[in-house]
Amino acid sequence: MSIQEQYRSRAKELLGEGSVKMVIGYGVGTTATRRRPIFITSPDETDRLVLDASCRTNLAGYLLREGLLADQKSIAVFLLPDGVRALNILAAESQLATAQIVVLGFEIKGEEVKPLEGTAAGDFSAIIAERKEQRKAQPSHEMAVKLEEMTPAERFAFWEKEFSRCIKCYACRAACPMCWCRRCVVDNNQPQWVNTSSHTLGNLEWNLVRAFHLAGRCVECGNCSEACPVNIPLHLLNGRMTDEVLTAFDHYPGADEQQEPVLASFRKDDPETFIL
Amino acid sequence: MAKIGVFVCHCGENIAAKVDCTKLVAAMEGHPGVAIAHEYKYFCSEPGQESIKKAVAEYGLTGVIVAACSPRMHEATFRTACAEAGLNPYLCEIANIREQCSWVHNDGEQATRKAIEITRSLVEKVKRNNELQPIEVPVTRRALVIGGGIAGIQAALDIANAGGEVVLVEREASLGGHMAQLSETFPTLDCSQCIMTPRMVEAARHPKIRLLTYSEIEKVEGFIGNFNVTVRQKARFVDMNLCTGCGECMQKCPAKKISGEFDCGLANRTAIYTPFAQAVPNKPVIDSEHCIFFKNGKCKACQRVCPTDAINFEMEDELVELEIGAIVVATGFQVQNTALYGEYGYGRYPDVLTGLQFERLASASGPTGGKITRPSDGKEPETIVFIQCAGSRDPSKGIAYCSKICCMYTAKHAMLYRHKNHDGNSRIFYMDIRAAGKGYDEFTRRAIEEDGAGYVRGRVSKLWQENGKLMVRGADTLLGRPVEVAADMVVLATAMVPQPDSKELGKTLGIGYDEYGFFNEAHLKLRPVETATAGIFLAGACQSPKDIPDSVAQASACASKVLALFSRDKLEREPVIAQNNEATCSGCWGCVLACPYNAIEKKDLTDRSGNLIRRVASVNAGLCQGCGTCVTFCRSNSIDLAGFTEKQIFAEVMGL
């Protein structure tokens, strides 16, 4: 049985026995390699589920739709390891209770999709720990290395150029599982800290504010860059913040659901190199 | 429409010498929303304040800017003046054009430009200021006094005599503290116990004082006027209501070889014991660590002889919950032991004592009945060497401070020794004689001139045993030559140190402490009994080394602070506190984690039928100190600080 079939039948089983009220998974999209999220509530529809190497979107954010989990019923969701990390952060930030979530975990190696053992968020700690070590050992992107080698002026010019394309559509915000604020700071117009029109200063402000708000929370799922209609490499910016918390505080976002936010907690041995 | 009044103060020459105040006034006059702008030599003066009040009434001002010194100086002055003129005080702001402008710039023209910018940005802020009302919190008129030594007893009695309720908590089995251990007290040589025990009895019998001995502070929550304190009452294994204090149990207890704390190890006690004869309450406790029954399950000798069946081996620690309005910390000190000193034998020689041990030897209630004899062989010493500053004022031992009491008690020791042994020789090695205090210098002179105290100015470098004598080698720096004394006893004036667990208590209470563990006062000179935490006060040696007169004075000062607090029904607090926008709060609790005062609670939002919709952050107005940490943490900007709202700060920045 193919992995897709395995997961379809697992979903059918979960819905059939009534242990979940919905399965959030991947369905066919507009092109051969594009997948779109689908929300299945009946065991008869599980054949619409697709699972292949194109299923890279992090679906964790869809769990936060207002009222979705209010009835205390469970929902199953297809998640890559980074998605499980996102789930942990959402639980740590009191946005959901992991007890309500059945994880249909999988990972993608090259072009191959592999199943992951476990159903609860806590079952995936081993693979998350493994990924933390990998992440520590090497930067996530070639371009990240190049950016580090640039002078500050060159780097600024790079980002200024990238951000100049931004049209403030906020697709990054909509796609990001961590952007769950009921009211985003950019939508607060009393006062209007961040200019909404699409010009250099406002663009820079918006993208930097979002990066700071993701510091210690970004799981590097790549949803933001994928969603960006003008191809700004946002993952590089957010990845840089992940580097920072990882090296300074050994903080790997979403390692478990007890994790405290890195910017609101401290340990006695935290480095204080920034204090002059 | 805003009608702002701008008042530019010259501060004599302080501002006017650099800033062109007339130009500043002219610039403000043309600014939108400014109704009037005036300058004056000293706005903080009586006529200056009057002119502001008059202007508020005359022009119907909706906001006031005083461009003057730092708000730390006169914000309260001008806000009060505005309030007197009928304007909400929080509509008055200070533009600091002195410390942040005239004092720090040389170029007058640039300074003037900067002063205009500063003042204009404050005008923009004040246009968005809201009227704020002081927050009222109720006051529980019950004080907690931690520590039953002389400081704690004094504070408790003063508060109770004025009608306040007091809970007096003492960690040991009896009240008394260190003062109960002393023989006679300088500079009047009155017997310590004779003046101490009546106070102990008075405290115990006082109808307004609830005494909790053998108890420790477990948890402190809440805030000024409204503390919730949990006290752990340790199991005494003796029923206080049944026990008559007859002492039969102590007679029969077979575990007799326990080093007695009250006698500083110079005498033994039993496992069931009262620390000393005049203990208050005079009812024993069982030290479960040494009790034979607790060690191997057999004995119960005390239970068999107890005529009232007061012994209960099943007793457990009890947690007592208290509602408290103010806390007095009077936890006292400890004396550094002799083992710290390699040069004085690391505490190996039994006849090298601490000052406190000598007190017990000289005390009529002590192990020798007041006879000064050597612990090693019980002989009367012919020569005693006293070494002052044994640890104190010695950064190499880690204690840089002066312990303050040692000069005086050493003089007293030499005096007592001569009174009890007329042929006795005393030699005192000292660095300086510090005898500042009423009757203190006269006292040390008396020790030297009438009681033969032999002072040698210099340090002792080495101490060793030879032919049954303690050989003391030191320097006499006044004669410039080494001295060697063969002594029978050596008394070290070891340093006064904080209680070993003072830092933990500091954390429990949320008050600061210094590098040694002495608690920090809010201001050494002007607020010496307050801590930085409102409603918590310090008395006695827990703050710094102190003698009895100082401790008692500070304790009474604490009582006056507590009583001032209790004189009001409600406390008024600055309304500069955080406020949460429940509509936009997502309940991530980042603010809860960030808040250093535990001031943010979780609040349920429910619909009309009581169903939970979601939970949001809610700020406890009594606890919030207005530090703004939560504001910086809130990603959605849901939390704002009254008086410093986002809108105000934004306007201020954009006004530049």
Side-chain angles (χ1 to χ4, degrees):
Chain A
M1 194 164 36
S2 76
I3 182 164
Q4 178 170 289
E5 282 310 311
Q6 279 174 40
Y7 275 69
R8 276 179 181 173
S9 66
R10 174 91 180 104
K12 200 183 200 98
E13 200 181 297
L14 285 168
L15 284 165
E17 68 195 21
S19 53
V20 302
K21 66 166 179 176
M22 179 188 281
V23 174
I24 304 179
Y26 303 92
V28 288
T30 44
T31 68
T33 56
R34 192 166 274 190
R35 298 288 165 255
R36 66 157 56 130
I38 56 170
F39 305 85
I40 292 175
T41 50
S42 146
D44 308 332
E45 296 177 79
T46 48
D47 288 349
R48 288 169 56 207
L49 287 166
V50 174
L51 187 57
D52 58 24
S54 300
C55 298
R56 292 179 188 266
T57 306
N58 182 354
L59 301 180
Y62 292 105
L63 293 164
L64 295 185
R65 193 191 156 109
E66 180 122 30
L68 186 62
L69 294 162
D71 58 7
Q72 305 303 316
K73 289 184 181 153
S74 291
I75 291 179
V77 58
F78 281 71
L79 290 177
L80 285 154
D82 291 338
V84 180
R85 286 167 57 207
L87 200 60
N88 282 335
I89 299 180
L90 294 176
E93 293 177 345
S94 306
Q95 299 307 303
L96 50 74
T98 49
Q100 261 177 284
I101 312 298
V102 177
V103 178
L104 299 168
F106 64 100
E107 63 176 331
I108 300 170
K109 288 210 163 152
E111 284 305 301
E112 200 187 343
V113 182
K114 288 186 170 174
L116 287 178
E117 285 286 319
T119 53
D123 297 340
F124 301 87
S125 50
I127 185 157
I128 292 175
E130 195 181 303
R131 288 174 76 88
K132 177 182 178 181
E133 292 313 311
Q134 283 172 12
R135 181 67 177 80
K136 269 173 150 175
Q138 60 187 58
S140 49
H141 295 277
E142 228 174 284
M143 190 58 207
V145 182
K146 279 191 193 154
L147 273 172
E148 283 308 300
E149 285 164 358
M150 289 181 189
T151 64
E154 286 169 345
R155 205 154 45 227
F156 192 79
F158 171 87
W159 283 114
E160 210 172 21
K161 186 162 163 267
E162 293 293 334
F163 291 148
S164 69
R165 299 197 299 278
C166 175
I167 52 169
K168 293 272 184 61
C169 67
Y170 304 130
C172 46
R173 181 180 76 185
C176 179
M178 290 304 134
C179 274
W180 42 253
C181 281
R182 296 178 66 80
R183 179 198 64 188
C184 178
V185 59
V186 75
D187 294 334
N188 178 7
N189 58 7
Q190 292 282 337
Q192 186 85 60
W193 283 110
V194 180
N195 209 306
T196 47
S197 61
S198 166
H199 63 67
T200 319
L201 179 65
N203 286 355
L204 204 66
E205 280 173 345
W206 158 244
N207 285 291
L208 291 184
V209 163
R210 210 183 88 83
F212 279 125
H213 282 190
L214 286 174
R217 306 169 67 234
C218 174
V219 297
E220 301 180 275
C221 63
N223 276 14
C224 49
S225 304
E226 276 300 310
C228 183
V230 292
N231 296 326
I232 300 172
L234 291 163
H235 57 276
L236 292 177
L237 193 63
N238 300 326
R240 181 67 178 77
M241 302 306 282
T242 302
D243 285 339
E244 205 61 46
V245 294
L246 198 56
T247 47
F249 305 112
D250 195 36
H251 181 97
Y252 190 55
D256 59 64
E257 62 174 293
Q258 274 77 44
Q259 196 177 44
E260 291 193 328
V262 70
L263 296 184
S265 55
F266 72 97
R267 288 194 307 254
K268 281 187 180 161
D269 57 346
D270 278 344
E272 293 176 348
T273 46
F274 54 90
I275 297 175
L276 297 175
Chain B
M1 175 65 189
K3 282 193 225 163
I4 312 290
V6 179
F7 301 90
V8 179
C9 182
H10 293 185
C11 195
E13 289 252 286
N14 276 304
I15 293 168
K18 279 281 154 12
V19 173
D20 183 341
C21 293
T22 312
K23 209 167 163 187
L24 174 55
V25 166
M28 286 308 120
E29 274 172 340
H31 191 78
V34 174
I36 52 135
H38 287 164
E39 59 182 306
Y40 188 66
K41 197 158 187 178
Y42 289 109
F43 268 114
C44 61
S45 67
E46 199 65 43
Q49 291 182 49
E50 282 307 315
S51 76
I52 296 177
K53 284 195 220 170
K54 233 173 89 189
V56 170
E58 197 174 318
Y59 295 92
L61 297 181
T62 59
V64 165
I65 300 286
V66 185
C69 51
S70 159
R72 285 189 71 97
M73 302 289 157
H74 277 303
E75 187 180 74
T77 310
F78 293 120
R79 283 191 166 172
T80 309
C82 285
E84 283 167 5
L87 188 71
N88 184 289
Y90 297 93
L91 300 176
C92 167
E93 294 276 357
I94 310 296
N96 181 356
I97 58 166
R98 192 178 78 171
E99 284 85 342
Q100 292 180 354
C101 188
S102 69
W103 275 2
V104 290
H105 297 297
N106 283 326
D107 186 309
E109 206 168 304
Q110 286 193 343
T112 305
R113 254 173 53 212
K114 183 173 170 183
I116 292 171
E117 295 269 320
I118 292 173
T119 313
R120 193 172 54 212
S121 92
L122 260 294
V123 170
E124 285 307 311
K125 183 190 177 200
V126 117
K127 283 183 190 170
R128 287 154 185 86
N129 274 21
N130 293 320
E131 293 193 358
L132 300 178
Q133 305 304 333
I135 296 164
E136 290 194 334
V137 285
V139 179
T140 307
R141 288 203 183 89
R142 187 182 299 114
L144 171 72
V145 177
I146 309 172
I150 185 60
I153 290 175
Q154 181 70 36
L157 283 173
D158 283 354
I159 297 166
N161 285 338
E165 272 186 63
V166 178
V167 181
L168 178 56
V169 174
E170 166 58 48
R171 149 152 88 181
E172 301 298 333
S174 167
L175 289 180
H178 278 110
M179 188 173 162
Q181 289 176 281
L182 307 182
S183 52
E184 279 150 41
T185 52
F186 61 79
T188 44
L189 289 190
D190 27 13
C191 151
S192 187
Q193 294 209 330
C194 309
I195 58 175
M196 180 70 183
T197 46
R199 291 296 177 94
M200 290 157 59
V201 173
E202 196 186 341
R205 289 212 178 129
H206 204 292
K208 289 277 187 185
I209 298 179
R210 178 176 174 194
L211 188 59
L212 295 174
T213 51
Y214 214 46
S215 300
E216 292 189 52
I217 306 300
E218 184 89 359
K219 197 165 77 181
V220 177
E221 286 175 334
F223 51 94
I224 180 168
N226 299 275
F227 293 104
N228 293 308
V229 180
T230 311
V231 175
R232 176 177 292 274
Q233 220 174 358
K234 294 178 278 185
R236 292 178 91 99
F237 306 106
V238 174
D239 189 320
M240 296 275 275
N241 296 322
L242 296 176
C243 173
T244 60
C246 69
E248 279 287 311
C249 49
M250 294 187 269
Q251 300 277 334
K252 288 285 171 342
C253 179
K256 293 189 191 301
K257 293 265 168 86
I258 304 157
S259 175
E261 297 84 359
F262 188 78
D263 283 326
C264 306
L266 294 174
N268 290 336
R269 62 163 173 85
T270 45
I272 185 166
Y273 72 107
T274 51
F276 53 105
Q278 302 95 318
V280 173
N282 193 14
K283 310 209 167 159
V285 294
I286 295 180
D287 163 11
S288 58
E289 194 191 329
H290 294 101
C291 169
I292 295 172
F293 172 75
F294 281 107
K295 281 206 288 199
N296 39 24
K298 273 186 236 153
C299 182
K300 294 196 177 178
C302 48
Q303 199 174 44
R304 278 197 302 279
V305 297
C306 180
T308 60
D309 270 340
I311 312 276
N312 175 4
F313 288 103
E314 260 82 67
M315 211 178 259
E316 282 179 4
D317 289 6
E318 264 177 58
L319 294 179
V320 185
E321 307 270 339
L322 301 167
E323 284 181 10
I324 296 292
I327 300 176
V328 176
V329 186
T331 50
F333 65 99
Q334 283 299 336
V335 171
Q336 181 70 266
N337 63 25
T338 54
L340 189 69
Y341 308 97
E343 55 270 47
Y344 307 148
Y346 286 118
R348 278 196 313 265
Y349 306 134
D351 298 329
V352 177
L353 305 176
T354 65
L356 193 56
Q357 286 176 313
F358 191 84
E359 292 286 343
R360 293 310 300 147
L361 281 185
S363 169
S365 72
T368 57
K371 210 169 164 199
I372 296 169
T373 54
R374 309 209 314 174
S376 61
D377 54 11
K379 280 190 195 149
E380 275 195 52
E382 285 162 23
T383 302
I384 303 184
V385 165
F386 295 90
I387 303 176
Q388 296 213 234
C389 298
S392 312
R393 302 174 67 196
D394 190 352
S396 69
K397 291 284 182 208
I399 299 173
Y401 59 83
C402 165
S403 292
K404 197 168 178 183
I405 58 168
C406 324
C407 287
M408 293 306 298
Y409 78 61
T410 302
K412 179 192 76 182
H413 286 172
M415 217 182 249
L416 293 179
Y417 175 49
R418 179 57 69 93
H419 293 177
K420 288 170 193 271
N421 182 346
H422 300 314
D423 303 320
N425 247 325
S426 62
R427 300 291 286 276
I428 302 169
F429 285 89
Y430 73 104
M431 283 160 66
D432 307 285
I433 302 178
R434 296 187 165 176
K438 187 170 180 177
Y440 284 15
D441 201 56
E442 298 92 313
F443 184 79
T444 52
R445 293 314 308 171
R446 191 176 132 201
I448 296 166
E449 288 159 17
E450 293 174 25
D451 291 309
Y455 275 82
V456 182
R457 190 176 193 277
R459 301 287 290 164
V460 170
S461 60
K462 199 178 170 192
L463 195 158
W464 71 98
Q465 245 172 346
E466 205 174 288
N467 303 328
K469 291 276 187 187
L470 285 162
M471 302 304 293
V472 180
R473 180 183 293 160
D476 186 333
T477 56
L478 295 182
L479 294 176
R481 67 179 182 211
V483 267
E484 217 169 273
V485 185
D488 301 296
M489 182 186 275
V490 173
V491 181
L492 305 183
T494 56
M496 202 178 201
V497 291
Q499 296 282 3
D501 50 359
S502 71
K503 290 181 182 175
E504 277 80 74
L505 182 66
K507 284 177 197 155
T508 307
L509 291 165
I511 59 174
Y513 43 82
D514 65 15
E515 59 193 301
Y516 304 105
F518 288 115
F519 297 126
N520 283 343
E521 60 294 315
H523 188 287
L524 194 54
K525 281 150 280 183
L526 301 178
R527 296 176 66 199
V529 303
E530 291 100 324
T531 63
T533 305
I536 304 186
F537 307 97
L538 301 176
C542 63
Q543 182 213 5
S544 68
K546 280 194 189 68
D547 55 19
I548 296 167
D550 283 0
S551 297
V552 170
Q554 200 188 10
S556 290
C558 275
S560 81
K561 294 285 172 191
V562 170
L563 292 167
L565 181 62
F566 288 180
S567 68
R568 288 175 287 182
D569 289 326
K570 292 197 182 290
L571 280 178
E572 277 200 358
R573 291 220 22 230
E574 279 266 306
V576 178
I577 59 160
Q579 46 202 12
N580 187 29
N581 182 348
E582 292 173 357
T584 58
C585 173
S586 309
C588 74
W589 315 131
C591 50
V592 175
L593 265 171
C595 178
Y597 303 101
N598 294 328
I600 302 180
E601 294 154 5
K602 297 174 183 179
K603 176 180 161 186
D604 290 346
L605 290 187
T606 53
D607 63 16
R608 284 182 196 172
S609 3
N611 301 316
L612 178 71
I613 304 170
R614 59 197 170 84
R615 303 180 81 194
V616 294
S618 167
V619 179
N620 181 324
L623 284 172
C624 176
Q625 302 291 314
C627 71
T629 310
C630 55
V631 179
T632 62
F633 197 81
C634 183
R635 282 184 288 271
S636 64
N637 287 14
S638 294
I639 294 199
D640 224 343
L641 195 60
F644 295 90
T645 60
E646 294 261 346
K647 267 192 219 176
Q648 289 170 301
I649 302 292
F650 189 80
E652 206 177 331
V653 174
M654 299 316 269
L656 287 174

